[in-house]
Every structure is written in C-alpha cells, then in structure tokens.
Amino acid sequence: MTLMMSGLDCHRTPLDQRQRLAFSQSLTEEFLHWLRAQPGVEGCVLLSTCNRTELYLSGSAETPWRLLCRGAGVPEAEMEAYFTTRCGMDAARHLMEVSCGLHSQILGEDQIITQVRRAMELAQEAKTADPMLSALFRGAVTAGKRARTEVSVSRGSPSMGGRCRDLLIRALGPLEEKKILVIGNGQMGRLAAQLLREAGASVNVTLRTYRHGETVVPAGCGTVNYEDRLAAMENTDALVSATTSPHYTLTAEQLSQVQNPPKVAVDLAVPRDIDPECGKIIQCFDTDSLGFSGFGSPEELEAMRAIAAQEMERFAQWQKRQEISRKAPKFPLFVDLTGKKVVLVGGGTIAARRIATLRLFGCEIEVIAPELKCSPEGLHWQRRRYAHGDLKGAYLAIAATDSRETNHQVGVEAGELGIPVSVADCEGECTFYFPAVCTGENLIAGVVSGGKDHHRTARAAKAIRRALEELE
C-alpha cells in the first residue's frame, strides 16, 4: 500500500491562494467522505491550518493534489505550481517535521501539535483513517510533544497569538489600558485574547451564543454579542479577528459605518475574516504579515530533526511488522479458557458477538464499556471507559470499541503485559485473530481470514457448520 501526500504552505504559497484550499471542520468532514469514495483511496487525512493544507493518502489513488483541487472546486492548472508531493517515507518524514514545528512560521510553534492531532481525530470520526495513517499521525503527535518538551527553543513568541501581541505592541506601544476587540472565541481567538489581556489590554471577546458552564472566556476579558461587533469597535485601539467563518466578519462597507474605528486590525484567519479593502481605511495585517521566525540555531534544528527521524523509524518498524503479519498466517491454537479471565473492552455489536462466543468456553468475562448491547448476566461489567491498567491479570484481551485510539491503547497495554490481544479494527495490532467458531458433536473449528475479509469468513463458517452437522 502506497503512502502519498501533497501540500502547500505559507513558505511558497501566497495567502490569496492558500485560502482557496482552506477547509473548516465541517467542510473537512464532507471532503473526507467524498474522498474516501474515490477509486484507489484506502485512507485519507486532511491537515488544514492557517499556514498549510496537506492531504495524506494511502492506497493507489492518483496524485493527492489533484483530488484536493477537485474536491474544493478549484482549477488544477491554477494551483499545480504551488504543490509539493511526497511519497513513502519522504511523506512520513515531512509530517514528523511539521508536527515538530520545523516548517512553521514560528520554529516549534505550540499549536501545530493540536492541529495534527485534530486532523487525525476528524479522519477517525469520519472512518477514513486506516491503520497506516493512524499509526503515522500518532507518531507525528508524539514527535511534536517530544520536540516541545525536549528541545529548548530560544524564541520570543511560540504561537500566532504571541506574534499578534508583539505586532500590536510595535504598532501601538505598551498595551496597558489599550482597548482591543477580539472577534471569535475559538482556540486562536481565546489564545490571542488571553495574551493581550496578560499584556495589560482591556479586551472584549465576541460570542455568538453563551452557554453557562460550557462557554470559556479568558479570565479578565469582557464579552459582547457578535451581532454588536460594529458598535463594540467604536473607540477601540485595535481589532483582532480569528474565526472559521467562510464569510468576512468585517467588510469595508461595515467599517465605514464606525465613526471612531480601531487604528489597527489583525486578521488571524484563513480564509480571511477581514475584507482586504479595509486596509484603505485602517492599518491591516494578515497571518503572512506576522513574519517568520523559523530558522533556529543549528543545535535546535538538529535536535528537532533527530526526534522526527526517531519517530519516523518507529513508524517504519510498524510498517515492517504489518508486512510480516500479512505474509505469515496465524497458527491455529486451541486453548482451555476454563476459569481464565478474559478482558473485553467495548460493548457494541461486535463486542456482543465476541461475548456470545466466549460464553461457550467457561471463562470469566470482564467487560469494560459505558454501554452494553447484550445481557450482562454472568459477566463482570465495569460500566465505564477503558483506562490503562485494566488488563492486569487477564489471560486474553479483546479490543472492540468504536474508538481507534482506545483499541490501539488496549493493544499497546496487552503488548506490554505479554497478553494475547485481538484488536477488532486493526489486524496489524492483533497477536491473535478472534475466529468464527463452528461446533459439532465433540468437534470445534475456528475460521479466520487474516482479519480482512469478514464476509468470506462468514461464508466459510456457514459451510463448515453444515459439514459438522452432517457428521453427527
């Protein structure tokens, strides 16, 4: 299976072009579903931030950037020159380095780790992240975390919010008592508001809705209704906008209605929040105006690249294990489970089928799941989510939740404890395959197909059951 990626970023693509391929969360979900249905696509993850758009594919599809343009409705000929395409381990290396912050505007920026993790989560929720891409992005998140904690980077502002604050200090002088309006209360907006408030500014944040106990506003910041944002701009010193809106939060026509507008506006969104025509009325800055701080010292760069290389090597080893598991079939081994503890994590349809089979073999079944789609009679049911340590004392472990991350964690813990494990959604993480069980008089057979073709397994099991019945 081939790994490929195509991407464009702030280093070689102007903002006007980048924003044509910027995806909000809802658009990302729609795009991933469309993309997964394209010929040759086995898995897909889209990383879309204010600085970059990168599409990672597994399978045998055409070049990713063409699919990216087609899905976004952007003519391929107009964007081809901006894209870089990488394959195999070059693609893996690039993602590891991106997550470490090596290719950001700001060396080692803080937010990229969250963005890489969120890209993986969206793909997993859309069920488009196959085992290979899931393993790759988990490794990238680990690389980013390590770079952040193990490498001391000498930089002034490790985030776009910090660069925004620094820019406003240069434009306005000390921020004490300055009045600043922040449009948007997402991650970027909250960070900018918090840093500006800590710098002494009087900050108001716009909200579309407020839910007590759910809406988080940085300490010390006031709030205004989004619809009242024009009135709130009166007599402010600066405006910051950081939303995921597909439309302008401020047009030139709207700004002209403000009698005493802000002196400075900073647009932290891609696509833009602030109409570029506003620059004819007040001083405006976009994300590319914040400047670059991504060079670093030779020691910092070497340390980050070493971390990226280590995590890439772990991913390469994971791939080799998958190849081995695909080539070598599992040996059929019949064991006595009488009185043995079997821990099953999950309570859905697949878990219920596993439980029904295990009931035949006299084992003690411990189920860990918030909900259970079968009778709990005879089970030790812990009505909660899985936590590390739950496999202690188990003879076998089974992961059958609808969460790729949880199933992976169960597989990892089982490996640490030397416990055979069946992972329902990843054959490469199984140390045994849970069989379709066929029984007859004093006869038992188990059927597996390498964890891949479940329909074929079901057909084979049905045929074997008929054969066992004929022997009785």
Side-chain angles (χ1 to χ4, degrees):
M1 186 182 297
T2 302
L3 169 66
M4 289 192 298
M5 67 79 59
S6 292
L8 47 76
D9 62 28
C10 57
H11 298 291
R12 58 193 301 264
T13 310
L15 176 58
D16 286 342
Q17 300 300 330
R18 293 205 311 277
Q19 67 180 3
R20 301 174 73 185
L21 289 169
F23 289 76
S24 65
Q25 179 171 317
S26 60
L27 288 176
T28 296
E29 293 169 354
E30 293 176 12
F31 175 66
L32 289 174
H33 286 299
W34 172 84
L35 190 62
R36 183 63 182 84
Q38 302 309 301
V41 176
E42 296 294 331
C44 49
V45 181
L46 178 66
L47 175 62
S48 181
T49 76
C50 60
N51 286 334
R52 68 186 64 252
T53 299
E54 297 182 348
L55 175 60
Y56 292 80
L57 296 182
S58 62
S60 56
E62 60 184 301
T63 308
W65 71 267
R66 295 188 183 277
L67 291 170
L68 189 54
C69 289
R70 199 174 307 153
V74 177
E76 296 176 20
E78 297 178 11
M79 300 301 297
E80 181 176 4
Y82 297 112
F83 277 102
T84 299
T85 297
R86 302 173 177 87
C87 297
M89 297 314 294
D90 284 340
R93 180 185 298 104
H94 175 74
L95 180 62
M96 299 296 177
E97 292 182 352
V98 164
S99 191
C100 287
L102 277 163
H103 299 298
S104 299
Q105 280 184 296
I106 304 162
L107 180 67
E109 69 160 304
D110 295 341
Q111 288 180 296
I112 188 61
I113 307 169
T114 301
Q115 292 163 340
V116 170
R117 181 191 295 111
R118 187 56 185 149
M120 176 178 69
E121 291 172 348
L122 286 174
Q124 289 174 339
E125 291 166 8
K127 301 189 185 305
T128 66
D130 65 355
M132 180 170 69
L133 288 175
S134 294
L136 173 63
F137 272 74
R138 281 196 304 271
V141 170
T142 299
K145 288 179 178 178
R146 288 185 57 198
R148 184 175 178 180
T149 57
E150 297 177 20
V151 182
S152 178
V153 179
S154 54
R155 61 192 191 275
S157 302
S159 69
M160 297 293 283
R163 298 304 292 275
C164 171
R165 175 202 58 204
D166 296 347
L167 184 152
L168 289 178
I169 290 174
R170 291 195 299 272
L172 302 173
L175 297 184
E176 286 81 358
E177 304 306 320
K178 294 292 192 302
K179 296 180 180 179
I180 301 176
L181 175 67
V182 176
I183 299 177
N185 192 44
Q187 182 185 24
M188 181 70 78
R190 288 196 300 271
L191 175 61
Q194 176 186 337
L195 294 174
L196 292 169
R197 181 70 189 89
E198 290 173 355
S202 174
V203 180
N204 279 323
V205 179
T206 66
L207 298 177
R208 289 187 180 272
T209 58
Y210 182 86
R211 294 183 178 87
H212 183 70
E214 296 181 22
T215 303
V216 178
V217 178
C221 295
T223 61
V224 297
N225 191 291
Y226 174 80
E227 300 300 329
D228 299 327
R229 64 193 183 283
L230 297 183
M233 287 181 205
E234 291 282 357
N235 297 307
T236 58
D237 295 286
L239 168 70
V240 177
S241 192
T243 79
T244 58
S245 171
H247 310 294
Y248 290 138
T249 59
L250 181 65
T251 65
E253 181 181 356
Q254 290 170 328
L255 183 60
S256 66
Q257 300 171 20
V258 181
Q259 292 185 358
N260 297 296
K263 302 178 182 66
V264 183
V266 182
D267 189 345
L268 296 177
V270 179
R272 286 186 176 96
D273 273 352
I274 299 175
D275 182 355
E277 292 296 308
C278 291
K280 297 177 180 179
I281 303 173
I282 62 174
Q283 190 176 19
C284 292
F285 298 91
D286 57 30
T287 56
D288 288 358
S289 302
L290 298 180
F292 290 84
S293 178
F295 299 106
S297 70
E299 293 77 17
E300 292 165 353
L301 296 175
E302 182 180 357
M304 286 187 176
R305 289 188 182 118
I307 290 172
Q310 290 163 9
E311 296 304 326
M312 190 185 72
E313 178 59 26
R314 287 196 176 98
F315 173 67
Q317 293 300 321
W318 178 90
Q319 281 193 307
K320 289 178 182 177
R321 290 195 297 272
Q322 308 316 299
E323 287 297 322
I324 294 171
S325 69
R326 281 192 286 269
K327 293 175 182 177
K330 296 291 189 292
F331 179 78
L333 182 67
F334 292 85
V335 297
D336 182 7
L337 292 183
T338 305
K340 301 290 197 306
K341 178 181 176 181
V342 177
V343 175
L344 192 152
V345 181
T349 302
I350 294 175
R353 290 203 296 262
R354 301 286 191 263
I355 290 168
T357 299
L358 289 170
R359 289 183 191 274
L360 303 173
F361 295 95
C363 53
E364 296 181 2
I365 308 171
E366 179 173 312
V367 179
I368 300 170
E371 304 292 337
L372 186 59
K373 286 192 174 182
C374 66
S375 169
E377 184 178 355
L379 306 176
H380 177 47
W381 179 22
Q382 298 196 44
R383 198 166 186 168
R384 58 174 176 80
R385 296 187 182 281
Y386 162 80
H388 192 273
D390 282 341
L391 303 188
K392 185 177 181 181
Y395 185 77
L396 291 179
I398 299 164
T401 76
D402 59 2
S403 166
R404 172 84 279 274
E405 185 61 28
T406 299
N407 290 343
H408 172 71
Q409 290 171 0
V410 173
V412 170
E413 183 181 353
E416 293 170 349
L417 297 175
I419 299 170
V421 63
S422 171
V423 181
D425 63 350
C426 183
E427 57 168 307
E429 295 179 4
C430 296
T431 54
F432 80 92
Y433 295 147
F434 200 99
V437 172
C438 311
T439 58
E441 186 175 357
N442 296 320
L443 291 172
I444 187 165
V447 185
V448 297
S449 60
K452 294 179 180 179
D453 192 342
H454 300 294
H455 294 294
R456 188 180 181 202
T457 300
R459 292 196 304 271
K462 186 176 181 180
I464 291 171
R465 291 187 184 108
R466 284 198 302 268
L468 291 177
E469 289 172 1
E470 293 172 1
L471 291 173
E472 293 179 3

